Amino acid sequence: MLKRFMAKLGKGAAEVHLHIPKDTYKPSEQIHGEVIVKGGKTKQHINAVNLELYRGFADLPMSEKELLSATAVTRDEFIIAPDETRSFPFTHTLYPASEHDSEKDVYFLIKVDIDAGIDTRKKVPIHVQ
């Protein structure tokens, strides 16, 4: 019971990782990768896994960053058991060259919607040249 309560607060909750083949891409290039969700200390109900691409200066708050695109990695709900690992492949097309601004940071934000708990998020920077 204590493990479940702590997981709802984010301690011992599911973890998320992004696996992509490289960290530098060209505008309009397709990225093929996978999102890995690893179970925490207790089973958890996952409502959705989403991947968003943002552009903006690292020190700005989220409200001032530009959402370029979003991909639903999975809309299917599932239960992840302790220490279980699930993999979700995805394909994501980057924005065109005309929208490229090399001075701003570009990164993926992976969002795992956990039922009745603190959602798991992870930011993964990429370079667009």
Side-chain angles (χ1 to χ4, degrees):
M1 179 109 170
L2 180 60
K3 287 181 184 179
R4 187 169 296 204
F5 177 73
M6 294 301 288
K8 286 183 180 185
L9 296 176
K11 299 289 184 188
E15 297 176 4
V16 65
H17 303 280
L18 179 69
H19 290 280
I20 51 179
K22 56 187 182 175
D23 64 355
T24 301
Y25 294 89
K26 294 180 174 143
S28 300
E29 187 174 352
Q30 278 196 335
I31 298 175
H32 301 279
E34 64 181 334
V35 173
I36 308 291
V37 180
K38 186 174 189 302
K41 303 235 182 253
T42 184
K43 73 177 182 179
Q44 290 182 291
H45 183 217
I46 308 296
N47 293 323
V49 179
N50 296 299
L51 187 63
E52 299 174 346
L53 185 68
Y54 283 91
R55 178 175 53 201
F57 296 110
D59 57 348
L60 291 177
M62 282 301 292
S63 61
E64 295 184 35
K65 296 183 183 183
E66 180 183 6
L67 174 63
L68 299 171
S69 57
T71 302
V73 176
T74 179
R75 288 191 177 115
D76 297 332
E77 297 179 11
F78 62 94
I79 301 287
I80 191 148
D83 298 318
E84 177 185 6
T85 300
R86 297 245 185 144
S87 173
F88 302 95
F90 71 90
T91 299
H92 194 93
T93 303
L94 289 177
Y95 50 89
S98 62
E99 296 177 24
H100 179 62
D101 182 347
S102 62
E103 293 183 13
K104 293 184 179 175
D105 300 315
V106 178
Y107 61 90
F108 280 111
L109 181 65
I110 313 156
K111 297 162 73 174
V112 179
D113 181 3
I114 300 174
D115 192 39
I118 294 176
D119 295 345
T120 298
R121 293 175 179 226
K122 184 169 189 175
K123 186 164 69 168
V124 179
I126 64 169
H127 303 285
V128 181
Q129 299 180 352

